[in-house]
Amino acid sequence: MSLSIQNDRTGRLRAPMTLLALAALGLGGAGAQDLAAYNSLAQNLDGAVTARTSSAQAALARLDAAQSALDTLSPTLRNRQIVTGLKDALGSSRAALGRTPAELEAQVLLARGLMRKALYDQTLALLSSAPQNGAAQVRVLAREFGLTGDAAAALSSDARAGRLERTAWRLERAAVQKVSASLQAARPAQNTASYVNLARATGWFTVVQDSAGAGTLTVSQFGDALRQLTSGDTAALTTSLTTLRQGTAAFAAALATPPAATGSAPATSPAQTPATTPTPATPTPATPTPATPTPATTTPPATTPVTPAPATTDAAQGAAGVYAALGRALAAAGHADNTAARAALAEAGTALAGVPADLRNAAGFDALGSAIAGAQGRGALRPTDVQALIGGLANLENAAAGRPVSALDGSSVGVSRWFSGWLRVLVFALLAGLTVLPLYLLNLAFGGRNVYWRAIMGGLALLMLPLFLEGLFGLLGAFGDLFGAAPLRNLTNLTLSQGAYALPVWALLGAAAIGLTAFGFRGLCEQFGLLGSAKPSVQNTTQHTSIDWDEDV
């Protein structure tokens, strides 16, 4: 997704929040949340960010659906401060629709942090009393925190066994990795990428701010960095980013070893564990002035040293999450469901931001992240766009492992960034229109009474039919994608470059074209005496001032 920053009259960036309010976030009751409403809220918030790149109206419709889901979810949330924060975040998201996509994304990232905090706290409270009843919520937590495969299975196993300290440790470690990845991606510069990455880091830190491993790291420090970025104070921002990265590294080190496999829950209570909640507010055109919240305090679970997993395993798991999201995007683009494809690309971008350090430091990481973000906002998305991204991810893995990278995959990522979207649509539409020209001129020059010329014309028409279908149905499908008209958008599936199902059709068209042109040219060769016996009329054509192609040839 292509992001831009809207400057106010003082030249400052508008911050995603002007207030970081202090709120007590206790565990509340031990009841279960409405997971269907939670999932609907998450999908519509993420969908609003994706839709905003092409249509503010479509984004508003997703926010309306998110509001409906929040109304259903709210009664099942035990912490009323989080409910208030989510309502404020939705209000701020609506206000951000009139400004830039980056501001909407920042508001949504903060809201998603509040959602995960509520789910995290309430699930642990539920597991402490009834571990057997929390399986569904644990599955949602695993998905929200990006845990897949063995990591998700280990989380589920610890939760079922009532090992709450280990359950919390696995979730906290995943969240801190995402905080670290977002901070590493942020730069001490007044640009949109840093703006969004800082908001993402703040949202993820919200979930784990009351962990003992956080040390002196507080939400207020994230708020300071955001304020410095929006005011253009890059010198102070450089210092803040360094402090945040050091604090996050220390946090990650504290979580490097899992706690003992006991059944006790983390020591928290509503009265003893106040936590700071970032409450998004509508940005002001002038100087945003976030208030400084009070640092949170918690009592952490004890830990027992255990050898951590190898970094290569973490890297493979991180890349697997990106591959899975890109695979879903490819499947959706393959049947012209571009809305689902863009949502999956957004998931891929989030998963890429959370990959381990060896992948983040590999050559091509920033280029791949930029390509994924660009594909999210691209009109007329096609499967080849996603295939190029998958090839780029494979190159990133190879570069991280010191293996040779594919020049073909690398060039495909570069080409897909410029020859795609409406440029590709218009080029093929123009070529489709021009396919009529050679056929018209052929018929004008040689007429249509000679069976061999008709066969040649038919063969040429079949050879150019794939180009014609690509231009016509690609253009109609692009308009369907632009205006949200599914019947038009689905016409893209009639092109021969959409998927493997079209290859046999293409082969049949090619075979028929070869047969017709071979038949036509062989007949002409026989008439000219180049094959078989010559027609006498060919000898007499030299005595005439003109040649009647229909009769003499």
Side-chain angles (χ1 to χ4, degrees), residues 19-25 81 209 219 274-279 291-297:
L19 179 64
L20 293 175
L22 180 64
L25 298 181
Q81 286 83 6
Q209 60 183 302
V219 173
T276 309
T277 304
T279 305
T292 302
T294 305
T297 57

Side-chain angles (χ1 to χ4, degrees), residues 6-19 190 223-224 226-233 281-291:
Q6 181 176 351
N7 294 334
D8 60 23
R9 286 174 292 182
T10 65
R12 296 185 175 90
L13 300 178
R14 285 178 172 163
M17 54 186 175
T18 58
L19 179 64
Q190 195 178 36
D224 290 341
L226 279 166
R227 184 175 65 251
Q228 291 155 4
L229 187 150
T230 57
S231 63
D233 189 355
T282 303
T284 57
T287 55
T289 56

Side-chain angles (χ1 to χ4, degrees), residues 51-61 63 97-98:
R52 177 62 182 86
T53 60
S54 56
S55 170
Q57 188 61 38
L60 179 60
L63 290 179
L97 283 176

Side-chain angles (χ1 to χ4, degrees), residues 126-442:
L126 175 63
L127 292 174
S128 66
S129 59
Q132 69 280 4
N133 294 334
Q137 291 191 222
V138 171
R139 284 195 296 270
V140 176
L141 273 174
R143 185 199 69 211
E144 286 283 86
F145 282 69
L147 299 178
T148 59
D150 293 341
L155 177 71
S156 178
S157 176
D158 284 338
R160 284 196 307 270
R163 295 188 289 265
L164 300 190
E165 289 184 353
R166 291 178 67 92
T167 303
W169 168 78
R170 293 184 186 280
L171 294 170
E172 288 178 3
R173 187 176 63 163
V176 171
Q177 287 176 349
K178 297 183 186 302
V179 174
S180 178
S182 298
L183 288 175
Q184 291 297 330
R187 297 291 181 267
Q190 195 178 36
N191 58 45
T192 306
S194 296
Y195 176 75
V196 173
N197 278 309
L198 273 175
R200 181 179 289 110
T202 304
W204 277 107
F205 183 74
T206 300
V207 184
V208 295
Q209 60 183 302
D210 53 359
S211 170
T216 58
L217 202 60
T218 64
V219 173
S220 65
Q221 293 172 300
F222 289 86
D224 290 341
L226 279 166
R227 184 175 65 251
Q228 291 155 4
L229 187 150
T230 57
S231 63
D233 189 355
T234 55
L237 178 59
T238 301
T239 302
S240 293
L241 284 176
T242 300
T243 301
L244 289 173
R245 288 166 181 164
Q246 291 174 347
T248 304
F251 196 171
L255 295 171
T257 56
T262 65
S264 60
T268 58
S269 70
Q272 297 174 347
T273 60
T276 309
T277 304
T279 305
T282 303
T284 57
T287 55
T289 56
T292 302
T294 305
T297 57
T298 56
T299 303
T303 60
T304 301
V306 176
T307 303
T312 53
T313 302
D314 291 339
Q317 290 178 350
V322 186
Y323 273 121
L326 289 178
R328 288 191 292 271
L330 180 60
H335 56 265
D337 187 358
N338 287 350
T339 301
R342 292 187 182 101
L345 286 174
E347 293 178 12
T350 302
L352 183 66
V355 298
D358 54 347
L359 284 178
R360 289 198 309 273
N361 296 331
F365 175 81
D366 291 337
L368 180 60
S370 177
I372 292 176
Q376 293 176 42
R378 186 176 301 156
L381 194 66
R382 300 295 293 275
T384 53
D385 298 325
V386 187
Q387 289 168 354
L389 296 175
I390 293 174
L393 178 59
N395 269 357
L396 183 66
E397 276 194 303
N398 289 335
R403 297 188 295 265
V405 298
S406 168
L408 181 61
D409 286 341
S411 62
S412 295
V413 174
V415 170
S416 70
R417 296 184 68 174
W418 67 269
F419 190 68
S420 58
W422 279 98
L423 174 62
R424 177 177 55 196
V425 168
L426 295 177
V427 167
F428 277 105
L430 176 62
L431 294 176
L434 293 175
T435 57
V436 180
L437 182 60
L439 299 177
Y440 168 75
L441 294 176
L442 178 63

